[in-house]
Amino acid sequence: MADRSAQARREGSTVGFIPTMGALHEGHLELVRRARGEHGLVVCSVFVNPLQFNNPDDLANYPRQLERDSELLVQAGCDVLFAPVKEELFAGFTPQHYDLGGLDARWEGPSRPGHFQGVVNVVERLFFHVRPDAAYFGEKDRQQLAIIRHVAKALRWPEQIVPCPTVREADGLAMSSRNQRLSPSERRSATVLHRALRKAAELAFQQPVKAVVEAATAVFKEEPGVVLDHFGIAGADDLKPLTDWPAQGDAVALVAAQVGPVRLIDNLTLHRPEDRDR
Ligand code: PAF
């Protein structure tokens, strides 16, 4: 794979890379299209990374559909699908323990021990094999994005990390490969995550942080079948929980909940009222 990237560079192209675990949806394809517009060679990986699953059932049930993914990638303008087997990806490799700058201490971190270490380890291996100039990550996994940016900066990885907006269904549900596992009624209930985030966005910077969290959390009462794991408001970059609104800049609301068999996460940037129509 590295040879293909090297050849592209010799020919004067740059390499854009989209790492995924497959079961591709419009959110992934949007990343591919964005990379297509910015690079001569576009590479997408599909690899269900065992290192980042702390729940064996989640790993076993993670949707796998490589043939369909491959067709979708061609249509979206991807040049190369990199779908390594574990032995190839991790050949000669011992997992590393990365300094995540404390960014894994909250939100998803405590519920998913080892998850972010597993993500950084596989991203490092994928970058090692693909050697991209830029890698595209969805903002839906906001904590993952913050952690990858932190590690890339701290270790001076040469790859540019490009954040891309969350792609949503018409009813607001953030696109996720795990949505496939929801029954029709769970699928309807799952919109509560976005409804709660919208409530927070509506009240942000106008009521105290605590009151906004309470109002957003109360939205979950509309869906008794959904089990809220956390709803919080944090600094937009460092993801540190806020008790007061920052004097400048944005905040972010982060949510995780169990809906039927799947744990869903989502987040929304909270803008100051004067910045909302930007
Ligand atoms: O966001 C994902 O799909 C995964 O965490 C990633 C970045 C492909 C690593 O396995």
Side-chain angles (χ1 to χ4, degrees), residues 112-130:
R112 306 185 69 186
H115 167 71
F116 290 115
Q117 288 291 342
V119 169
V120 175
N121 270 279
V122 82
V123 168
E124 188 279 332
R125 279 297 88 185
L126 290 165
F127 284 4
F128 172 82
H129 287 277
V130 176

Side-chain angles (χ1 to χ4, degrees), residues 19-21 28 47 49 52 119 122-123 126 137 141 144 148:
T20 82
M21 296 205 298
H28 297 115
F47 178 70
N49 172 29
Q52 71 189 77
V119 169
V122 82
V123 168
L126 290 165
F137 292 88
D141 296 306
Q144 165 175 290
I148 292 170

Side-chain angles (χ1 to χ4, degrees), residues 20-29 32 44 46 63-78 81 83 169 175 177 180:
T20 82
M21 296 205 298
L24 302 180
H25 50 68
E26 204 38 44
H28 297 115
L29 300 177
V32 173
C44 179
V46 170
R64 289 160 171 90
Q65 47 177 57
L66 194 58
E67 216 163 292
R68 182 171 148 70
D69 288 345
S70 159
E71 285 163 18
L72 291 170
L73 286 170
V74 170
Q75 285 164 22
C78 177
L81 165 58
E169 304 283 357
M175 290 199 184
S177 306
Q180 286 187 19

Side-chain angles (χ1 to χ4, degrees), residues 49 92 121 150 163 245 264 278:
N49 172 29
N121 270 279
H150 169 84
W245 296 109
L264 295 179
R278 273 186 310 167

